[in-house]
Amino acid sequence: LLRQSLLALADAAMWPAAGVNRIVPASVVTVRVLFILTSGLLGVLLCLPDFRTRAQAWLAAQGEEVATAAGIAALLGDHDPREVQSKAQELFRCVNLADLSRKDMADSKPNPALYALSTPTLLGDVDAFLSHSWHDDPGLKWEALQAWRRKFIDINRREPKLWIDKCCIDQTNIAANLMCLPVFLAGCKNVLVLCGDTYLNRLWCVMELFVFLEMGASPERIELKMLAHSNSAAMRLRERFSTFDVKDASCFLKSDTDRLYGMLEAGFAGIDGFNTMVRQVLERCLEEQSKQVAAN
């Protein structure tokens, strides 16, 4: 993508705008040589982790996913998409899991001290968006989160950076943060779903999956962890995946429920199409999880 962007810039520099007679400069060869050298330099720079991360973040900020998410946010809250995208970059934050304790994730009660632990970051620079229900078992949730963290560290040799609502939303500016929620999703590389008994009944949780998929993200970027006390409980939860119906999910406010149902009707070929998509994604996540368990 960087190479294509540079080539486009080089072409733009060499050719006038459409409708103007083209005159090939005498320095075309020089420009092409410089382009090749620049591409080689970029190849070296992209081997450097810090530069690569920043480049990916820049591309994410310019990409279609963020623009689509901003459009979805605009529909949800009647805001200008450009305003949403700009505000989202200003408010986007992440938290290091090493800084959190079991108690911090025990309930949804606002805690300014947790917000102070999060730091501003670039769109595209966060490893995972945590999608979960605060009504699910906090102990199981913490254990699943730590298991995911250990696996991430084993693979990447560093702590993961997450977007977690309780830590990354300024409680004194909730409305602006909620407006930007779809863009926050787009700014994360993956979605980590911690699914317990109440997750599929929480319409806002389901909408997070909707936004992530609607903006063009691959289902492979969704990682599912089931929260269950026993094998039988896990089996019951898995059975619910195959019969998932978004009509069984709701918000606290009926007006929010009706508005979100309208969003789902407009995409994924209606409610039935969305139900099919979610069932397929959940089943795919479970299959991948089973493969990993068998491999270990």
Side-chain angles (χ1 to χ4, degrees):
L1 285 176
L2 283 171
R3 184 179 183 278
Q4 292 171 353
S5 298
L6 283 173
L7 183 57
L9 288 172
D11 287 340
M14 287 187 292
W15 299 110
V20 179
N21 291 332
R22 291 183 171 183
I23 302 175
V24 181
S27 58
V28 167
V29 175
T30 302
V31 170
R32 289 295 179 178
V33 170
L34 287 174
F35 172 73
I36 294 172
L37 291 174
T38 303
S39 298
L41 176 60
L42 278 173
V44 174
L45 289 174
L46 286 171
C47 294
L48 303 177
D50 184 64
F51 181 88
R52 187 170 60 248
T53 296
R54 295 298 173 184
Q56 289 172 343
W58 183 86
L59 288 171
Q62 305 299 318
E64 292 184 4
E65 289 186 4
V66 171
T68 302
I72 293 174
L75 290 174
L76 284 171
D78 192 25
H79 299 285
D80 183 271
R82 289 168 297 183
E83 173 195 354
V84 174
Q85 186 169 339
S86 175
K87 194 67 176 177
Q89 179 60 85
E90 175 189 335
L91 298 176
F92 193 48
R93 302 174 73 87
C94 67
V95 67
N96 191 322
L97 276 182
D99 295 330
L100 301 181
S101 67
R102 179 187 293 263
K103 183 179 179 181
D104 295 331
M105 296 295 295
D107 57 54
S108 61
K109 184 178 179 180
N111 185 348
L114 294 184
Y115 180 75
L117 294 177
S118 65
T119 56
T121 189
L122 296 173
L123 294 170
D125 204 19
V126 175
D127 298 302
F129 179 104
L130 181 63
S131 180
H132 68 114
S133 166
W134 284 108
H135 296 268
D136 281 334
D137 187 289
L140 291 176
K141 190 183 301 181
W142 179 254
E143 292 171 6
L145 196 55
Q146 290 304 310
W148 178 85
R149 175 194 172 206
R150 289 191 295 270
K151 176 184 173 183
F152 183 95
I153 293 175
D154 286 343
I155 296 173
N156 298 280
R157 301 302 176 186
R158 64 174 176 84
E159 288 283 350
K161 294 186 288 186
L162 271 76
W163 189 95
I164 302 177
D165 48 4
K166 188 177 182 180
C167 305
C168 299
I169 290 181
D170 182 359
Q171 298 300 317
T172 65
N173 194 17
I174 294 178
N177 278 267
L178 292 181
M179 171 187 75
C180 300
L181 190 61
V183 184
F184 292 162
L185 263 167
C188 298
K189 299 170 187 175
N190 298 290
V191 170
L192 173 61
V193 176
L194 302 184
C195 181
D197 291 334
T198 72
Y199 183 88
L200 295 177
N201 296 123
R202 311 294 295 179
L203 187 52
W204 277 112
C205 292
V206 175
M207 282 300 296
E208 289 168 358
L209 296 179
F210 164 79
V211 171
F212 198 64
L213 295 171
E214 183 72 358
M215 69 187 189
S218 166
E220 283 74 21
R221 290 168 58 189
I222 298 176
E223 187 169 355
L224 173 69
K225 299 293 184 183
M226 289 195 300
L227 308 180
H229 286 283
S230 63
N231 290 335
S232 58
M235 287 298 296
R236 288 194 297 271
L237 186 57
R238 180 162 188 164
E239 289 172 1
R240 292 181 58 195
F241 291 171
S242 60
T243 60
F244 170 80
D245 189 341
V246 72
K247 287 293 187 180
D248 294 329
S250 62
C251 302
F252 179 75
L253 297 177
K254 185 178 184 302
S255 58
D256 284 347
T257 301
D258 293 340
R259 183 159 50 96
L260 295 182
Y261 281 162
M263 284 287 298
L264 294 176
E265 287 282 8
F268 282 107
I271 294 293
D272 290 340
F274 178 72
N275 286 338
T276 299
M277 171 66 76
V278 172
R279 292 169 192 158
Q280 291 174 346
V281 168
L282 292 174
E283 287 297 328
R284 189 177 302 171
C285 289
L286 286 176
E287 290 176 5
E288 184 62 28
Q289 195 175 58
S290 298
K291 291 179 182 177
Q292 293 178 3
V293 171
N296 295 332

